[in-house]
Structures are given as C-alpha cells and as structure tokens.
Amino acid sequence: MKLSELYNKGRTIFSLEVFPPNKRCPIETVYDAVEKLSQLKPDYFSVTYGALGGAAAGKSTCDIASYIKEKCGTEAMAHLTCINSTAADIDAALELFKSHGIENILALRGDINPDLEPKKDFPHASDLTAYILSKGDFDVAGACYPETHVDAESPVEDILNLKKKTDSGASHLITQLFFDNSCFYKFREKCAIAGVNVPISAGIMPVTNKKQIERMVTVCGASLPPKFVKILQRFESDPEALRDAGIAYAADQIVDLISNDVDGIHLYTMNNPYVAYKIHGAISRLL
Ligand code: FAD
C-alpha cells in the first residue's frame, strides 16, 4: 500500500522508525524489536539506511523492511540516501526494493562525510525523489527540518529548497526530531505560506539518557526548552528517573501535537520496545 493513501484521512498517522542491525544491535535483536513494536499496530514502520550507502546498506534496510511487511504484516518504508551513491547504485537499490514488494521510500541526501568525496549524480534529496519516481511505481517521502537544516544558507532558503522537494513529487514529509513544539507550529505555518502543502509527520525522539541528548544537540542542532533542561539537570545522575521523565516529556509533546491537528507522529524508537510501549500506552486513545 502506498503511504500517501493513509494520510489525509482525518486521523493522526502513527509510525515507528527502526534501524537495521549493527555491531551493538545484532539481527536477532532487530527482529525481536520489530515483532514487539508491531504489536502496537503502527500505521507503518520506516527503516533507516546506513550513512555510507552502498549495496550492504541497501540489503540490510531491505531485509528488515521485508521482514516487517511479510512476518509482521505491517507496511514498511525504506530510507535511501544518495550523496555517496551513483545512479547505478541507486538503480540496484530500487531493483532490490521492487523485488521485495517495497513501494514506499524516504528519499534522503544523507550527511556529508568529510572523509568521502560526495558523488555527483544526486546532490540533493529532490534530485533523488524525481529519479525514483521516474524509475517505478514508488511512493516517495522526504525529510524536513523545523529548526532549519544545519547546512542551509538560511531558514528561508531551506523552506524554498523543501518546496523543490515536494515539487519533485515527495508525497509527505517527516521532520527531524525537536523538543519544542512551538518550533514545529511556526515551521508548519511557513510551509503553508511557501506552498508546501503535503502532510507532515512530527518526528519525536524520547530522550532516555544524557549522552544521547548531547549527541542530538550537536548533530541536528535541536533547541532545548527550559522545561526540558530542568528535567536533565534534575535527573542526570539517575538513569531510570531520566528515562521515565524522557518518556513523559515525549508523551506530553505528542498530546499537544495531536491537539493541534498534526498529520502524523513518527516515533524514533531506537529499536527500544520498552520506551515505545510506555509512550503508546499514554497516547493510544488519542490516535
Ligand atoms: P536535502 O533535502 O538535500 O537538504 C540538504 C541541504 O541542502 C539543506 O540545507 C537544504 O536546504 C539544501 N538543499 C536541498 N535542495 C537544494 C537545492 N535544490 N539547491 C540548493 N540547496 C538545496 N541519514 C541517513 O544516513 N540515513 C537515514 O536513514 C536517515 N534517515 C533520516 C530520516 C529523517 C526523518 C530525517 C529528518 C533525517 C534522516 N537522515 C538519515 C539524515 C539526513 O540524511 C541528513 O539530515 C542530511 O544532512 C540531509 O538530508 P535531506 O534528505 O534532508 O537533504
């Protein structure tokens, strides 16, 4: 099923993001996590794509996405990055997805790696979006940044670039994580003014440890509202209390977003069913 058929139905779409196996999270752990997470009956899962690209990244993402579709009976969207890929690499990934019945793709540029010369075929996600749509019957989504992408010249340029992405055919968007809902509401208004009219799912990451937050702030520049900083200061030396407070904070963010007619909630699960269950328990009746 194409995910664009799900949105615009007057209810909040609930999706879960998982990542494929890595050194710390072997394949059995990922399968176990997705099976448990599928009990929450999300509308769909999305599966991330290794930052370095290449055939191994495509296979890993495809394996998990296929497992979700076939074994868990839930729709899956495969992420695909392009900055370290040639058109031939992308063709191979698309063939693989197609042969496994994966019809939903989150088209991404990927982060620029200072140790790798970027490939030239797809400088931006909008180039990849148009290419995927020219290659088959796929539904393509895109990423967006309520607090502006770190490489963007300005917030205005970033929104105008986002418009190129939806003009290229992105049918819905998923935001970078944010902790301050007011950033999301302002961003949504600017999108509407710029003519970015596709559904936008809000990316929510429940913060469960202090190191994770420091990394998030460095990598994606998410601002930390005073209420959030207070929680960090109060519970930083008590991991379980910090985890519970992080879960409560994320649930509170989601309640506010649903009350303000968000199109979708996209939970960055970090392959952690415990946290996702707690949050789902707090919000399931609102969906
Ligand atoms: P783009 O949309 O290409 O934007 C990147 C920058 O280029 C922005 O500053 C933008 O303003 C600018 N730009 C865009 N189009 C143009 C244009 N036509 N002309 C000039 N400038 C332009 N990374 C992974 O490696 N694997 C993943 O699985 C993954 N999943 C993600 C999921 C979500 C929901 C999000 C929000 C991010 C994800 N990322 C992932 C990270 C993402 O790859 C990085 O944030 C990357 O730096 C930007 O990707 P993009 O697709 O948003 O790029």
Side-chain angles (χ1 to χ4, degrees):
M1 184 197 26
K2 304 272 190 318
L3 293 182
S4 50
E5 292 168 23
L6 278 179
Y7 285 92
N8 294 322
K9 291 242 163 85
R11 66 179 182 89
T12 311
I13 299 306
F14 180 61
S15 53
L16 300 175
E17 181 169 306
V18 292
F19 54 80
N22 60 29
K23 276 185 206 141
R24 281 197 217 137
C25 195
I27 187 110
E28 299 73 30
T29 314
V30 180
Y31 287 150
D32 183 53
V34 294
E35 273 173 27
K36 288 188 175 129
L37 289 167
S38 68
Q39 303 299 315
L40 299 178
K41 305 258 175 275
D43 288 293
Y44 67 93
F45 279 88
S46 85
V47 186
T48 65
Y49 191 85
L52 299 179
K59 182 174 181 324
S60 210
T61 298
C62 187
D63 284 349
I64 302 300
S66 310
Y67 188 88
I68 290 166
K69 272 179 81 86
E70 285 159 24
K71 296 277 186 326
C72 306
T74 307
E75 195 47 65
M77 174 168 71
H79 296 204
L80 179 62
T81 64
C82 58
I83 198 65
N84 297 314
S85 297
T86 61
D89 297 331
I90 296 298
D91 288 346
L94 294 178
E95 276 307 316
L96 188 67
F97 292 160
K98 211 182 280 182
S99 67
H100 286 78
I102 292 159
E103 47 188 347
N104 297 291
I105 300 178
L106 178 58
L108 298 146
R109 183 195 71 178
D111 286 327
I112 308 272
N113 182 329
D115 299 327
L116 286 178
E117 181 68 25
K119 297 275 194 309
K120 307 250 177 335
D121 289 349
F122 307 102
H124 306 292
S126 49
D127 305 313
L128 179 64
T129 302
Y131 188 74
I132 296 171
L133 289 169
S134 75
K135 284 282 166 176
D137 188 19
F138 293 107
D139 191 301
V140 182
C144 63
Y145 302 83
E147 298 185 78
T148 306
H149 186 265
V150 283
D151 300 343
E153 276 177 32
S154 69
V156 171
E157 280 298 317
D158 206 29
I159 300 257
L160 294 175
N161 290 331
L162 185 59
K163 174 81 166 81
K164 289 180 195 158
K165 198 180 289 191
T166 53
D167 285 348
S168 299
S171 66
H172 63 105
L173 300 170
I174 301 180
T175 76
Q176 180 60 282
L177 62 92
F178 58 89
F179 302 111
D180 183 347
N181 285 3
S182 68
C183 296
F184 175 78
Y185 299 135
K186 284 180 206 147
F187 171 74
R188 200 168 55 168
E189 275 173 26
K190 287 181 209 155
C191 284
I193 292 166
V196 175
N197 291 323
V198 302
I200 305 176
S201 274
I204 298 296
M205 179 174 281
V207 168
T208 53
N209 71 63
K210 192 159 177 267
K211 262 206 185 123
Q212 182 196 1
I213 302 159
E214 287 163 354
R215 205 178 85 81
M216 289 311 148
V217 173
T218 317
V219 172
C220 63
S223 58
L224 302 179
K227 182 177 163 185
F228 190 83
V229 174
K230 272 251 180 300
I231 291 174
L232 288 185
Q233 288 167 345
R234 180 77 171 80
F235 302 115
E236 63 181 328
S237 55
D238 183 343
E240 287 186 358
L242 182 59
R243 181 196 62 197
D244 289 355
I247 290 170
Y249 188 91
D252 190 41
Q253 259 192 295
I254 295 171
V255 171
D256 182 64
L257 287 161
I258 295 176
S259 309
N260 283 282
D261 299 323
V262 72
D263 297 308
I265 298 292
H266 185 73
L267 199 62
Y268 293 104
T269 71
M270 306 301 286
N271 294 6
N272 185 334
Y274 175 86
V275 172
Y277 266 70
K278 289 282 177 193
I279 293 180
H280 187 260
I283 59 136
S284 59
R285 283 178 207 283
L286 317 184
L287 291 169

